[in-house]
DNA sequence: CCAGACGTTGTT
DNA sequence: GTCTGG
DNA sequence: CCAGACGTTGTT
DNA sequence: GTCTGG
């Protein structure tokens, strides 16, 4: 699955890497421990692709309260086209979630060890995501997102059963295309990425605390 | 028809 | 909103 | 994902 | 154990 990740470049560098516009009001710094319910940088396309901030943990538009959001942090690629919560989002609420690494906890005798997984060159990449908007009791609009997962590739499998979908660069534009509604084109994009391009290593248990966001986590 | 759920992961 | 179960 | 809270009534 | 919050 994917319950924590990093984005260690600021939002201007993300915009350059993804060749998208960034609103002046959006200034996000490097992050070493992004956790659910926090704001994440996302790429949306409502005509022109641009950066935006979304809260991680999907709150469907019909939800009565926000608490469901902390459990909807992932959507299974294999079933999302049939799930009531996700089906309609696949049509019209797709997004990219830029990152440059993610954490998975490997079960070992006596506990769990956090592992940090990146591309070999540490390049930024894009998780495939879905988003939705939800109205609070006060009428405020809250936009939230979820990260799509699939079965683990050969590199991640020893660590964990599942991993986030990382879209190859040439799939990003297709995934974001607001005019595209064909599940037969979209769903095949949601595959585990090439294990040869990735590397993994153990990191400090300090990452366990969602409060801790120090750069020493991955130093 | 209406009522009630709608999710993932991991663990047992 | 949309799907499943009764 | 992990961390941390988790309940009511009544009395101080 | 289970739920909520980050």
């Amino acid at each position: 699955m994917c319950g924590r990740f990093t984005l260690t470049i600021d939002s201007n560098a993300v915009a350059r890497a993804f060749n998208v516009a960034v609103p002046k009001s959006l200034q996000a710094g490097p992050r070493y421990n992004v956790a659910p319910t926090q704001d994440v940088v996302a790429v949306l396309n409502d005509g022109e692709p641009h950066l935006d901030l979304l809260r991680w943990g999907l709150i469907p538009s019909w939800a009565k309260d926000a608490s469901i959001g902390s459990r909807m942090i992932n959507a299974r690629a294999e079933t999302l086209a049939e799930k009531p919560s996700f089906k309609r989002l696949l049509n019209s609420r797709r997004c990219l979630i830029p990152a440059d690494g993610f954490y998975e906890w490997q079960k070992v005798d006596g506990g769990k060890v956090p592992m940090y997984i990146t591309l070999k060159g540490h390049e930024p990449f894009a998780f495939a995501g879905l988003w939705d908007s939800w109205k609070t009791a006060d009428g405020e609009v809250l936009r939230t997102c979820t990260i799509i997962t699939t079965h683990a590739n050969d590199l991640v499998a020893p660590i964990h059963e599942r991993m986030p979908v990382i879209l190859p660069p040439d799939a990003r534009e297709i995934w974001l295309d607001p005019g595209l509604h064909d599940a037969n084109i979209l769903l095949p994009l949601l595959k585990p990425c090439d294990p040869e391009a990735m590397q993994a290593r153990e990191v400090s248990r300090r990452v366990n605390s969602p409060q801790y966001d120090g750069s020493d986590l991955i130093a």
Side-chain angles (χ1 to χ4, degrees):
Chain A
M1 79 172 300
C2 180
R4 302 289 179 86
F5 67 90
T6 64
L7 181 60
T8 66
I9 56 177
D10 68 26
S11 44
N12 291 322
V14 174
R16 281 195 300 276
F18 285 74
N19 192 30
V20 295
V22 52
K24 282 213 170 65
S25 57
L26 193 157
Q27 289 297 333
R31 294 294 309 276
Y32 306 93
N33 191 9
V34 180
T37 73
Q38 299 175 349
D39 281 347
V40 302
V41 174
V43 185
L44 306 186
N45 187 356
D46 48 15
E48 279 299 306
H50 64 277
L51 291 191
D52 222 323
L53 290 180
L54 301 175
R55 186 189 195 251
W56 182 16
L58 192 102
I59 306 173
S61 56
W62 42 259
K64 289 184 186 67
D65 67 273
S67 66
I68 192 174
S70 55
R71 297 189 296 281
M72 306 269 277
I73 65 173
N74 296 128
R76 289 177 70 92
E78 299 92 329
T79 55
L80 65 82
E82 289 110 48
K83 299 287 185 182
S85 297
F86 301 134
K87 190 175 185 173
R88 114 199 107 90
L89 304 181
L90 179 65
N91 255 319
S92 54
R93 297 285 177 93
R94 297 184 301 273
C95 63
L96 304 179
I97 298 165
D100 52 17
F102 61 97
Y103 300 101
E104 297 286 358
W105 279 256
Q106 182 168 23
K107 268 184 297 178
V108 295
D109 285 344
K112 290 179 171 186
V113 175
M115 302 290 288
Y116 183 52
I117 299 141
T118 63
L119 296 180
K120 280 177 176 167
H122 294 88
E123 304 93 340
F125 52 77
F127 293 136
L130 300 171
W131 66 280
D132 204 351
S133 54
W134 178 76
K135 255 188 198 151
T136 66
D138 325 344
E140 276 183 63
V141 173
L142 185 59
R143 295 187 306 162
T144 63
C145 64
T146 191
I147 294 172
I148 299 173
T149 63
T150 184
H151 62 87
N153 65 18
D154 287 346
L155 183 116
V156 176
I159 300 168
H160 199 84
E161 298 284 313
R162 302 197 55 85
M163 67 183 289
V165 171
I166 294 172
L167 294 174
D170 60 1
R172 294 173 189 166
E173 195 177 344
I174 304 170
W175 184 252
L176 277 185
D177 182 350
L180 189 47
H181 305 293
D182 186 350
N184 292 319
I185 292 173
L186 295 168
L187 293 178
L189 301 176
L190 305 178
K191 286 181 181 150
C193 69
D194 177 13
E196 294 298 322
M198 309 177 78
Q199 60 184 17
R201 65 184 171 86
E202 185 176 344
V203 290
S204 164
R205 289 173 188 272
R206 282 193 302 272
V207 74
N208 286 12
S209 172
Q211 316 292 345
Y212 192 76
D213 193 38
S215 61
D216 59 315
L217 286 176
I218 59 167

